[in-house]
Structures are given as structure tokens and as C-alpha cells.
Amino acid sequence: MAQVIAAGRELARRDDGSVVNRTAHIRIGTELAAVAGFDDPHLSDENLSCRIEAAITAKQQHARTMQQRIPVEF
């Protein structure tokens, strides 16, 4: 997680400090999620870690919900 946070912070800002992206699309293993906050230097790594975990969990829950809603016929 530390590597993801470090890379996200580095990619969120240019060398002059200007913001490049407010939201990062991250992949951990097979999980993909959009997370905001990498551009905020006042946001702690712990908070970003919580945001990443929450985004992945939300995406997984959404996928399960969609699977339950879509009838499959053979």
C-alpha cells in the first residue's frame, strides 16, 4: 500500500507543485478503483490507505449487486 500511495502522490503533482490529477485510477492485484486525495499534501498516508480500501470495497460490493440483479438465462 505504501508503494501505491507514494506513486500516487508523485503522479498527482508536477515538480512545480501544480496539480495534474485530483483522482487516481489505481490497481492493486486485480482490483481497480478511483481514489481522490493524492494531490492533497495535508492528507495522511493512513487516510489515503483508508480511501483506497473503501473504494475497492465499494467497487466489489457494486459488482456483487450487479451480478445479483442481472438474470442469466441459458
Side-chain angles (χ1 to χ4, degrees):
M1 188 69 74
Q3 291 175 331
V4 171
I5 292 170
R9 287 192 188 278
E10 185 177 326
L11 295 172
R13 292 183 169 273
R14 293 186 178 105
D15 290 338
D16 65 2
S18 62
V19 175
V20 177
N21 292 311
R22 297 195 184 281
T23 303
H25 296 273
I26 60 160
R27 180 181 301 274
I28 299 176
T30 60
E31 302 299 330
L32 179 66
V35 179
F38 288 97
D39 63 314
D40 185 350
H42 302 293
L43 198 61
S44 71
D45 288 358
E46 182 179 333
N47 193 298
L48 274 172
S49 180
C50 289
R51 286 182 181 208
I52 292 167
E53 290 171 8
I56 289 172
T57 299
K59 188 149 185 167
Q60 289 170 338
Q61 289 174 343
H62 177 73
R64 282 192 292 271
T65 300
M66 294 308 294
Q67 286 176 344
Q68 292 172 355
R69 289 184 178 178
I70 299 172
V72 177
E73 296 182 24
F74 293 98

